[in-house]
Amino acid sequence: ALLGALWQLLTKPIYSRIHELIQGRRTVGLHTGLLATEGWQDEYGTPQEVQVLGEFVANLLTTRHYRWVTYNRQLQNCLSDFFPHLPVESEEAHREAYNRVREHARYCASLSPLLVQ
């Protein structure tokens, strides 16, 4: 019994992390982030997915000449501004807001020749 209790105590953090990861992946690959009885479900990536995205963003910033290492805090603030909260009360509201953000990003990107002189 003591060994069982010790085992449960030692594996509790692992169980909690697995439970959290499973809860955050219930809508991965689905058309919507809304679950009928529970509302919006945010997605959480695996450590590997987070690493791949992080490497992609770091490479993107480097090759586009952002000094992201030196000005890391400022860049984090900029990214926070670039990615506003999206509405989650309906799939339609979420999709429309995402499309507006994407259209605005494309518009800003089209101005980039004006930034480089």
Side-chain angles (χ1 to χ4, degrees):
L2 181 60
L3 186 58
L6 183 60
W7 180 255
Q8 284 182 344
L9 183 63
L10 292 174
T11 60
K12 184 172 171 113
I14 296 169
Y15 172 79
S16 295
R17 177 65 184 128
I18 290 170
H19 180 57
E20 178 183 309
L21 186 60
I22 290 170
Q23 288 298 106
R25 297 187 65 81
R26 294 188 303 164
T27 60
V28 171
L30 298 181
H31 176 70
T32 181
L34 285 170
L35 295 179
T37 59
E38 300 176 48
W40 187 264
Q41 301 294 305
D42 288 325
E43 291 185 352
Y44 294 89
T46 65
Q48 294 82 10
E49 290 166 332
V50 171
Q51 181 179 356
V52 167
L53 181 60
E55 289 174 0
F56 171 81
V57 171
N59 186 52
L60 188 71
L61 293 170
T62 299
T63 59
R64 294 188 180 185
H65 317 298
Y66 287 85
R67 296 187 64 204
W68 64 274
V69 176
T70 301
Y71 298 106
N72 192 280
R73 188 56 164 154
Q74 294 88 336
L75 181 65
Q76 289 178 28
N77 291 335
C78 188
L79 289 171
S80 183
D81 293 339
F82 286 157
F83 293 98
H85 286 275
L86 297 177
V88 295
E89 63 271 0
S90 74
E91 182 63 33
E92 181 180 353
H94 184 268
R95 184 176 35 259
E96 287 175 3
Y98 175 84
N99 288 339
R100 282 194 305 274
V101 169
R102 184 69 175 114
E103 287 169 18
H104 186 69
R106 286 182 179 142
Y107 171 75
C108 290
S110 74
L111 299 177
S112 67
L114 301 175
L115 299 175
V116 180
Q117 307 239 351

